[in-house]
Amino acid sequence: MKAKIRLHVDHPLAAGQTVGLSREQAHYLFAVMRLGAGDQVLLFNGAAGEWRTEVLVANKRNPVLECREQTGPQVSPPDLWLCFAPIKKARTDFIVEKATEMGARRIVPVLTEFTNAERVRVDRLQAHAVEAAEQCGGTFVPEVCEPVKLSALLESWPQERRLMFCNEALVGEDRRLGGEAGPWAVLIGPEGGFSQGERDRLAAMEQAHAVSLGPRILRADTAAVAALTLWQTTHGDWQ
Ligand code: SAM
């Protein structure tokens, strides 16, 4: 058996089930990693846990793998969304990768008044989330949503979902995350921060809990990881 390769597939997984692969995945397995018939690959589909499969046909055009045994249960993260204002491309990629590793269930790019980002390519970001899940041993891939204006997002905000509003104006203040249970979302602003109008709008929302992330202003990508860490240790699956 060669190195443990993990791949995400959009395909049912069950004992004896045969599975095809995308062209890119077949290229990776058979041309890059030089796998052949009889080699083993771990697959997950976001719903059925992780499966050990065996390569039956090591063919780049029509590859076939077969599920042998389930090697791990399905583990889905707690009901946490990350809403963040996209920044520069590489830093936005970083945020999506880290949010996947940290266990966000949904990732929502949010266009705020001071957002200054290049075009957001959701398909690229979704591919980053898949890659991060493959590499971190997770069995769940968060959905990356189409970008939405902050005003529209807040307009239709679900009544039961609390919003951890990371407000840089509270830097250094003792405003910590509360212990209220239930679904949550983290909100991180852009490099320019939130406008006063946005802060007022958020202050008027009963679901919003404004928090400080300590005594220093963090870059947006650092703030996203710090906020997810804080939430996971208080409410999530790190407890
Ligand atoms: N330009 C802003 C300023 O100088 O005040 C800073 C914006 S910061 C780079 C980007 C985002 O990270 C903020 O909108 C906020 O969501 C979050 N953030 C950074 N540091 C924070 C802190 N100490 N407390 C709360 N949120 C913070």
Side-chain angles (χ1 to χ4, degrees), residues 85 112-115 168 188-196 198-199:
T112 65
E113 280 183 45
F114 298 154
T115 297
E168 69 277 0
I188 301 290
E191 284 158 356
F194 292 99
S195 72
Q196 191 55 51
E198 288 168 339
R199 282 204 192 94

Side-chain angles (χ1 to χ4, degrees), residues 67-116:
C67 292
R68 291 289 184 238
E69 62 167 338
Q70 187 169 12
T71 44
Q74 177 59 37
V75 180
S76 299
D79 194 355
L80 174 67
W81 299 354
L82 172 66
C83 305
F84 75 101
I87 42 180
K88 289 196 181 75
K89 192 159 125 326
R91 290 185 181 280
T92 297
D93 293 350
F94 174 91
I95 290 175
V96 169
E97 183 183 291
K98 298 308 153 203
T100 304
E101 293 174 23
M102 297 290 303
R105 199 179 278 192
R106 179 182 282 190
I107 299 173
V108 189
V110 176
L111 306 175
T112 65
E113 280 183 45
F114 298 154
T115 297
N116 180 17

Side-chain angles (χ1 to χ4, degrees), residues 150-226:
L150 179 63
S151 52
L153 181 74
L154 299 183
E155 201 62 48
S156 59
W157 192 258
Q159 181 58 35
E160 72 290 352
R161 186 171 296 275
R162 293 173 205 282
L163 182 59
M164 177 181 172
F165 164 37
C166 298
N167 183 356
E168 69 277 0
L170 298 178
V171 62
E173 290 188 27
D174 188 13
R175 290 288 295 272
R176 299 177 191 209
L177 177 62
E180 297 84 352
W184 276 81
V186 163
L187 176 63
I188 301 290
E191 284 158 356
F194 292 99
S195 72
Q196 191 55 51
E198 288 168 339
R199 282 204 192 94
D200 293 345
R201 170 78 179 84
L202 284 155
M205 260 178 84
E206 66 172 299
Q207 299 99 321
H209 299 240
V211 301
S212 167
L213 296 176
R216 290 166 289 274
I217 298 272
L218 308 176
R219 274 165 51 161
D221 44 351
T222 317
V225 177

